[in-house]
Amino acid sequence: MCRTCLERGFTLVTALFLLVVLALLGLFIVSVFGLQQSSQALDVSGTRTYAGAQAGIEWALMQVLDPDNNDPLLVPANPQPPACFATQAVALGSAFSGITVSVSCSVTTTTELNRNVAVYLLTATASAGTGTAFPISRQVTATVSRCTDPTGAAPRYSCP
């Protein structure tokens, strides 16, 4: 028998082997690309959720710092810092669709000399994707103080 007759199927086996290896490599590349896309989508959702929590903190700061002087406790006789608000959900704009924000407040008050000092602990928790395979939650906490002085100038009675 001739030598070339014995080597006839070798090219076919090599071609099949290369075809299988290239197919597996292509499958691996497609799966990595898909994981990268889903990871990027989760990253964007996490950033949006964090921005929602920050918006909740900004809303809470406006409630306790009262820049418009609407606080009924700022009376000339004994001005008091504002009380805390009850834990509540904050409505965000359409840019934050699918994100819910809950804001809570706790306050500690003290008196130093004749000044009333309140230290507020504000917490905003934003959640997105509730009930999905990858729920996202972000929490932002801020501590802020406010001082009122009966001898200070109206309408704010702020401490010097």
Side-chain angles (χ1 to χ4, degrees):
M1 208 167 191
C2 65
R3 183 182 163 130
T4 57
C5 295
L6 295 175
E7 297 176 359
R8 265 193 163 178
F10 182 72
T11 307
L12 180 63
V13 171
T14 303
L16 284 175
F17 176 74
L18 286 175
L19 188 63
V20 168
V21 168
L22 289 175
L24 289 175
L25 183 62
L27 184 64
F28 174 74
I29 289 171
V30 167
S31 68
V32 167
F33 181 73
L35 287 174
Q36 181 187 10
Q37 294 288 42
S38 63
S39 174
Q40 185 178 13
L42 284 173
D43 187 37
V44 168
S45 294
T47 302
R48 287 181 65 239
T49 306
Y50 181 69
Q54 286 180 321
I57 284 293
E58 289 178 15
W59 177 87
L61 286 170
M62 293 298 286
Q63 303 304 307
V64 297
L65 294 180
D66 187 37
D68 295 329
N69 299 317
N70 294 327
D71 193 352
L73 297 176
L74 290 177
V75 292
N78 187 19
Q80 298 291 318
C84 260
F85 51 86
T87 300
Q88 62 186 40
V90 176
L92 301 176
S94 62
F96 295 101
S97 62
I99 297 174
T100 58
V101 178
S102 174
V103 182
S104 64
C105 175
S106 62
V107 64
T108 303
T109 57
T110 187
T111 303
E112 295 178 3
L113 298 174
N114 64 338
R115 298 176 177 152
N116 299 312
V117 180
V119 179
Y120 300 92
L121 177 63
L122 308 170
T123 304
T125 305
S127 302
T130 307
T132 63
F134 300 105
I136 298 171
S137 180
R138 299 289 185 264
Q139 188 173 63
V140 177
T141 304
T143 304
V144 64
S145 63
R146 180 154 178 205
C147 177
T148 56
D149 186 354
T151 61
R156 305 255 324 147
Y157 302 101
S158 60
C159 299

